[in-house]
Each structure stands twice: as C-alpha cells, then as structure tokens.
C-alpha cells in the first residue's frame, strides 16, 4: 500500500472510535475467559466491511494484525488497498479451482482456515510455491492452513468427517505440501448448541474438535491449534481450549448485503 493510497483512504473519527472500543471490549472478554499462560489469537472478521474500517483498527492505538475474509475477490481487492503488514485469514468456503490463485495472489495471506480435501491443499501448495519463486523474501515461509472439521454433522456445512478422513488430510499436508504449514483444526459449530449451553456446560462441537485434535496428534505428532468460536460463542470456545477465535459482527456491527457492500467507503470529512 502506497502512502498516497493510505492518505486517500479517509476514516470517520466517530466510526473509528466505536470500532476501537468494540475490539477492545472483545479483547478484554478474551482475557477474562483465558487461563493464565495462554494466548488466544483474535481474528477480526471483516467480510463485507470496508477497507476503511480495517485500517482504523490496523492503525495505532490498536495496531491489530489479524483480519478474516470470506470472499476471495473481496480479499484480493482489500489486500491491494491495505498495508502489507496486515495478516489475512481466508475463512470462507474454498473452491478447488480457485485455491491456486488465492495462494499465489496475496503475499500477506497468513492463513487459509477452510481446507477440507487433499486436492485443495495441493492447489494451495502450487500457488504458494509459485509466489515464493516470484517473491524471494517469502522463500522458506510456509502458508499456514487449518483443516476444517464438520463436528456438528450438518449437511450444509463444509469440513472433513472426524476420524480417518481428517487424519489422512492432516498427514497429506504434513508430508506432501512443503510450502504449507498445518497450523491446526477449525470448526464452525452449531450455534444452537452454544446458545443452549449453560454455564459450566461445554459445547459438544468444541469438545469434539478437541478430541479430534488429540486423535490426529496420536497419528502425526507435533502441535496443532484449535480455531473455534465466533461472535456468539467465542468465550465458551476459549474455555474449551480454543487457540483462535473469529469475531465479526460484535466488532464491526451488522453487515450489509453483499450487493450493497463497498470495499472502499466514501467518507466525507466530519461525517459518518
């Protein structure tokens, strides 16, 4: 991002103040739910929100780094507008035929969290390898990936089945994808289960992912993170051992429809 581009991207002060307070409140809630000695990564899910909003949180005083996007084209456009220091997470459904382009286009793509087949991992591997050849400073820096697990068994959700399917995928990434780093396992739990859970009762989707992680580690060893928990259930997820939470509406507010969303907002001086 050039200095001219950043200077041209205006940020409404009142909007920035609200965003900073929202993210700060989430950070405080994370700290309250986290046991001492653990760090939980907060991914601010900015899909359908403007690059202006992201820049407001990336600039001091917060200097937030991790932002999540669901749509590949939107992510690409925002990555061009915003500083390269931003660490992008792709958290949306992956299309096999677009995986290579995703990994090849965005140098500061920090993580892809929705890998659920070996074919998708292979396409990401090829894209990252091509990027590393083009940008020599990235050589030796793998693209992090999470294997997505369908812990709730809902047909409409993506993800590997717990058991042999996810174990084979994780083994494949470790052994066949040198430009990828298996960061951990991700799930999108059934939100009804989080809402029904009472104090002291763990969400069964989160418990399941923890169990699946332990089973995978028995097969391949090493360490694996858990990415689970969103706006409505991130505190419960942390208490179940989540290493990363993905929070959107609690920080950015209600999202516009996809057709009304703007990558770069038009902000008038002194107006919202």
């Amino acid at each position: 991002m050039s200095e001219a581009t950043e200077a041209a991207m205006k940020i409404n002060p009142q909007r920035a103040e609200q965003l900073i307070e929202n993210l700060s409140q989430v950070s405080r809630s994370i700290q309250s739910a986290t046991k001492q000695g653990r760090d939980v990564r907060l991914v601010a899910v900015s899909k359908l929100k403007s690059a202006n909003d992201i820049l407001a949180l990336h600039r001091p005083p917060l200097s937030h780094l991790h932002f999540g996007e669901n749509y590949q084209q939107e992510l690409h456009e925002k990555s061009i507008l915003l500083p390269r220091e931003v660490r992008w997470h792709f958290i949306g459904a992956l299309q096999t035929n677009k995986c290579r382009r995703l990994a090849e286009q965005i140098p500061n793509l920090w993580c892809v969290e929705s890998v659920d087949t070996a074919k998708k991992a292979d396409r990401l591997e090829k894209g990252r390898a091509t990027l590393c050849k083009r940008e020599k400073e990235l050589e030796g820096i793998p693209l992090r990936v999470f294997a997505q697990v369908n812990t709730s068994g809902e047909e409409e959700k993506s993800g590997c089945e717990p058991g042999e399917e996810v174990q084979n995928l994780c083994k494949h990434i470790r052994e066949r994808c040198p430009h990828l780093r298996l960061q951990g396992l991700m799930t999108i739990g059934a939100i009804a289960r989080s809402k029904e859970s009472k104090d002291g009762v763990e969400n069964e989707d989160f418990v399941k992912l923890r169990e699946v992680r332990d089973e995978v580690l028995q097969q391949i060893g090493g360490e694996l993170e858990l990415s689970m928990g969103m706006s409505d259930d991130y505190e419960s997820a942390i208490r179940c051992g989540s290493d990363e939470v993905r929070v959107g509406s609690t920080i950015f507010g209600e999202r516009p429809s996809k057709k009304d969303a703007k990558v770069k907002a038009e902000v008038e001086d002194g107006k919202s």
Side-chain angles (χ1 to χ4, degrees), residues 14-30:
Q14 290 77 27
R15 173 65 174 165
E17 183 178 359
Q18 185 62 63
L19 289 170
I20 290 169
E21 174 53 32
N22 291 348
L23 191 144
S24 298
Q25 179 57 52
V26 172
S27 296
R28 289 191 291 268
S29 297
I30 289 172

Side-chain angles (χ1 to χ4, degrees), residues 248-267:
S249 58
T250 302
I251 296 171
F252 292 99
E254 185 177 351
R255 295 186 183 93
S257 64
K258 192 173 182 180
K259 65 181 179 63
D260 293 329
K262 294 182 178 180
V263 169
K264 183 178 178 182
E266 296 178 4
V267 178

Side-chain angles (χ1 to χ4, degrees), residues 4-268:
T5 302
E6 183 169 356
M9 194 176 302
K10 297 178 181 178
I11 297 174
N12 176 266
Q14 290 77 27
R15 173 65 174 165
E17 183 178 359
Q18 185 62 63
L19 289 170
I20 290 169
E21 174 53 32
N22 291 348
L23 191 144
S24 298
Q25 179 57 52
V26 172
S27 296
R28 289 191 291 268
S29 297
I30 289 172
Q31 291 176 354
S32 296
T34 304
K35 295 180 180 179
Q36 288 185 347
R38 289 186 62 230
D39 290 323
V40 175
R41 184 183 307 112
L42 170 58
V43 178
V45 179
S46 46
K47 70 174 182 179
L48 302 181
K49 293 296 182 176
S50 70
N52 311 60
D53 281 0
I54 299 169
L55 188 60
L57 294 174
H58 178 65
R59 284 176 171 173
L62 293 185
S63 301
H64 194 73
L65 292 174
H66 295 273
F67 293 90
E69 293 288 337
N70 286 61
Y71 306 114
Q72 187 167 333
Q73 182 60 35
E74 182 182 357
L75 169 56
H76 183 229
E77 291 176 14
K78 288 177 178 177
S79 72
I80 294 171
L81 288 172
L82 292 163
R84 189 154 167 171
E85 291 75 21
V86 170
R87 298 177 181 177
W88 294 108
H89 295 240
F90 186 80
I91 62 175
L94 276 174
Q95 295 179 265
T96 304
N97 63 338
K98 295 183 178 180
C99 285
R100 180 167 182 167
R101 183 183 300 175
L102 174 66
E104 188 176 339
Q105 277 187 331
I106 305 168
N108 53 328
L109 181 63
W110 198 83
C111 186
V112 177
E113 305 215 6
S114 45
V115 180
D116 56 5
T117 68
K119 185 177 290 187
K120 292 176 184 178
D122 289 341
R123 298 287 178 87
L124 291 170
E125 163 67 25
K126 290 179 180 178
R128 185 67 178 189
T130 300
L131 177 66
C132 289
K133 288 180 180 178
R134 187 176 74 238
E135 305 209 16
K136 299 299 184 183
E137 70 273 17
L138 294 177
E139 286 186 2
I141 303 176
L143 171 64
R144 297 163 181 82
V145 297
F146 282 83
Q148 182 173 352
V149 183
N150 186 347
T151 53
S152 63
E154 296 169 282
E155 292 184 2
E156 67 273 16
K157 285 187 177 176
S158 302
C160 300
E161 292 293 323
E164 187 175 348
E165 186 175 345
V166 67
Q167 291 172 17
N168 289 340
L169 174 59
C170 290
K171 186 176 181 181
H172 178 88
I173 294 170
R174 279 271 183 89
E175 295 180 354
R176 302 291 183 88
C177 302
H179 293 88
L180 305 182
R181 175 191 296 166
L182 181 62
Q183 190 78 7
L185 305 181
M186 183 275 269
T187 194
I188 302 172
I191 195 61
R193 292 177 178 173
S194 287
K195 291 181 177 179
E196 291 170 0
S197 295
K198 298 178 181 179
D199 291 342
V201 178
E202 295 182 325
N203 182 308
E204 59 186 279
D205 288 321
F206 299 157
V207 173
K208 184 64 177 178
L209 191 68
R210 195 170 61 201
E211 293 173 349
V212 171
R213 189 265 309 273
D214 294 343
E215 293 169 358
V216 171
L217 289 178
Q218 289 179 1
Q219 297 292 322
I220 67 173
E223 296 182 356
L224 292 175
E225 293 182 355
L226 298 176
S227 175
M228 55 190 191
M230 299 186 291
S231 284
D232 289 327
D233 56 11
Y234 68 90
E235 291 168 289
S236 171
I238 292 170
R239 288 191 289 269
C240 286
S242 183
D243 300 289
E244 175 187 275
V245 294
R246 310 175 304 273
V247 180
S249 58
T250 302
I251 296 171
F252 292 99
E254 185 177 351
R255 295 186 183 93
S257 64
K258 192 173 182 180
K259 65 181 179 63
D260 293 329
K262 294 182 178 180
V263 169
K264 183 178 178 182
E266 296 178 4
V267 178
E268 296 182 32

